[in-house]
Amino acid sequence: MNVIRFTDLCAQGKAAGQRVFIRADLNVPQDDAGNITEDTRVRASVPCIQLALDAVAAVMVTSHLGRPTEGEFKPEDSLAPVAKRLGELLGREVPLVANWVDGVDVKPGQVVLLENCRVNKGEKKNDEALARKLAALTDIYVNDAFGTAHRAEATTYGIAQFAKVAAAGPLLAAEMDAITKALAQPKRPLVAIVAGSKVSTKLTILKSLSANVDQLIVGGGIANTFMLAAGLKIGKSLAEPDLVDQAKAVIEAMRARGADVPIPVDVVTAKTFAADATATVKAADDVADDDLILDIGPKTAAILAAQLREAGTIVWNGPVGVFEFDAFAGGTKAIAQAIAESSAFSIAGGGDTLAAIAKYGIEKQVGYISTGGGAFLEVLEGKTLPAFEILSKRAAG
């Protein structure tokens, strides 16, 4: 995808003395006292901001935080804790500016954080009047917020329409490059792991991937529905029997082009959904009526791990079992370790997936870890994200 890259503008000296407006994703979790409990997104935003400061630009940064009511600012909606953390990471004070839509006072070499953009009336509906006001604040607009790339809002889309220059920040560009490498130009075999509790929430993803991937590994409640489609009993496990025909259609679509949806040959079951429940390994055709399937079995894990080690590209979204309970974490651990050992280019995304990556300490072995949950899923669905679309249009002239 052809976009203007902010790194290139800086390298060419085109950001010097310019007003640069960066839309970052600083939507971090906080405790009841307002303290940031996990700062990954703040840290991920620093390279773009530092790039702009090193280029001696006048830097404005904004983000949403939480779900504020437009036009009604409340103290808990404030980016103040983010400004403090950003200041610590940049080694300089980062002033927080409120009521900034009509003008911002910032000089070249300075950075300010603009208060929660979703408090502005018209932000979420991408109001044109607001977008034009925002565009008037800047010489170069930079989108570095992949987590919001699937939403067409005033600070993610409208401003990019009307700004003099609209560019992709390093974080957004890295996501675009990784997605292109994994899905548009993959080294084969291309293996996708799609897991989760419900087929219904990921049906469009499964259908989209089934037309492209060489293997589609399903896990969690999704796998249970596919087991039903294969004629297996699943006891009282989480599944969606009304979507069995859809699962069969995915299996048939894959089979028709010589691709495969591996169905588990063994599973780990329990009588109750609890961390201390007794885990029992059973053959996939030996599940009792009162069993809950909470993980893939060791034989299935070994088969899938062997396939992942031979893959050219791996796309991973979702743990294959209830990995939060150690007795039912074996499958996800085996998958994680196989991805870490594979020479394939791997891209992983989604909250539970990131938690599994952290649990098994394989961050450095995954080719690219996506920062956007909803945006990552929409890419897997085959959708063009609004942020990508408008940046591409602007680059084309």
Side-chain angles (χ1 to χ4, degrees), residues 4-197:
I4 296 167
R5 294 172 184 250
F6 186 53
T7 46
D8 293 343
L9 294 178
C10 292
Q12 294 157 6
K14 292 179 179 175
Q18 300 296 292
R19 297 170 302 157
V20 172
F21 184 111
I22 299 170
R23 174 52 159 103
D25 182 6
L26 305 171
N27 185 28
V28 288
Q30 294 170 282
D31 61 21
D32 292 340
N35 300 305
I36 296 171
T37 55
E38 210 283 319
D39 72 347
T40 300
R41 284 176 173 167
V42 184
R43 284 185 284 113
S45 73
V46 167
C48 184
I49 298 167
Q50 192 62 58
L51 191 66
L53 287 170
D54 291 346
V56 200
V59 188
M60 298 163 270
V61 184
T62 195
S63 172
H64 71 288
L65 181 70
R67 295 182 176 172
T69 304
E70 285 191 5
E72 295 176 29
F73 180 78
K74 301 184 199 71
E76 60 266 29
D77 300 328
S78 179
L79 285 170
V82 175
K84 180 171 177 283
R85 183 68 187 120
L86 204 49
E88 291 165 357
L89 292 165
L90 289 167
R92 62 195 293 159
E93 190 189 350
V94 178
L96 183 64
V97 180
N99 305 313
W100 48 270
V101 170
D102 292 313
V104 180
D105 180 22
V106 58
K107 306 282 189 298
Q110 294 179 344
V111 58
V112 295
L113 184 62
L114 309 180
E115 193 56 276
N116 197 331
C117 60
R118 279 205 190 144
V119 173
N120 298 331
K121 278 191 173 174
E123 167 65 20
K124 289 194 79 169
K125 288 187 175 169
N126 189 25
D127 177 73
E128 184 176 328
L130 175 62
R132 286 184 180 278
K133 272 189 170 186
L134 303 184
L137 298 174
T138 183
D139 301 305
I140 302 172
Y141 165 73
V142 182
N143 190 332
D144 206 37
F146 179 69
T148 64
H150 57 311
R151 296 198 170 100
E153 299 179 348
T155 59
T156 64
Y157 193 96
I159 184 175
Q161 279 179 291
F162 305 117
K164 294 174 194 169
V165 178
L171 190 63
L172 191 77
E175 292 273 0
M176 293 166 84
D177 292 344
I179 287 161
T180 301
K181 190 172 176 181
L183 293 173
Q185 299 150 5
K187 183 184 174 192
R188 296 197 178 263
L190 168 57
V191 180
I193 304 158
V194 180
S197 55

Side-chain angles (χ1 to χ4, degrees), residues 100-335:
W100 48 270
V101 170
D102 292 313
V104 180
D105 180 22
V106 58
K107 306 282 189 298
Q110 294 179 344
V111 58
V112 295
L113 184 62
L114 309 180
E115 193 56 276
N116 197 331
C117 60
R118 279 205 190 144
V119 173
N120 298 331
K121 278 191 173 174
E123 167 65 20
K124 289 194 79 169
K125 288 187 175 169
N126 189 25
D127 177 73
E128 184 176 328
L130 175 62
R132 286 184 180 278
K133 272 189 170 186
L134 303 184
L137 298 174
T138 183
D139 301 305
I140 302 172
Y141 165 73
V142 182
N143 190 332
D144 206 37
F146 179 69
T148 64
H150 57 311
R151 296 198 170 100
E153 299 179 348
T155 59
T156 64
Y157 193 96
I159 184 175
Q161 279 179 291
F162 305 117
K164 294 174 194 169
V165 178
L171 190 63
L172 191 77
E175 292 273 0
M176 293 166 84
D177 292 344
I179 287 161
T180 301
K181 190 172 176 181
L183 293 173
Q185 299 150 5
K187 183 184 174 192
R188 296 197 178 263
L190 168 57
V191 180
I193 304 158
V194 180
S197 55
K198 292 184 175 181
V199 172
S200 54
T201 57
K202 294 189 179 174
L203 185 60
T204 46
I205 294 169
L206 293 166
K207 283 181 175 175
S208 178
L209 290 174
S210 70
N212 189 23
V213 303
D214 302 299
Q215 269 197 321
L216 184 56
I217 295 171
V218 290
I222 293 173
N224 297 338
T225 304
F226 275 78
M227 287 176 71
L228 284 177
L232 293 163
K233 292 181 178 175
I234 61 165
K236 56 179 185 177
S237 307
L238 178 69
E240 291 173 288
D242 56 325
L243 290 178
V244 163
D245 286 347
Q246 302 275 14
K248 282 180 179 173
V250 170
I251 292 170
E252 289 306 318
M254 296 278 289
R255 193 176 286 154
R257 52 183 196 80
D260 182 34
V261 182
I263 303 297
V265 295
D266 61 343
V267 291
V268 184
T269 66
K271 300 301 181 187
T272 59
F273 185 86
D276 59 354
T278 302
T280 308
V281 177
K282 293 190 171 185
D285 57 3
D286 192 31
V287 177
D289 290 344
D290 63 343
D291 277 338
L292 284 169
I293 299 170
L294 299 181
D295 195 13
I296 55 172
K299 283 183 186 172
T300 303
I303 292 167
L304 298 179
Q307 291 167 347
L308 288 167
R309 288 189 195 99
E310 297 301 312
T313 307
I314 299 167
V315 178
W316 182 20
N317 175 244
V320 295
V322 186
F323 80 105
E324 299 91 342
F325 300 162
D326 286 342
F328 308 102
T332 300
K333 185 178 183 180
I335 294 285

Side-chain angles (χ1 to χ4, degrees), residues 339-358:
I339 291 170
E341 290 163 13
S342 175
S343 61
F345 172 71
S346 52
I347 179 170
D352 289 343
T353 315
L354 304 193
I357 287 169

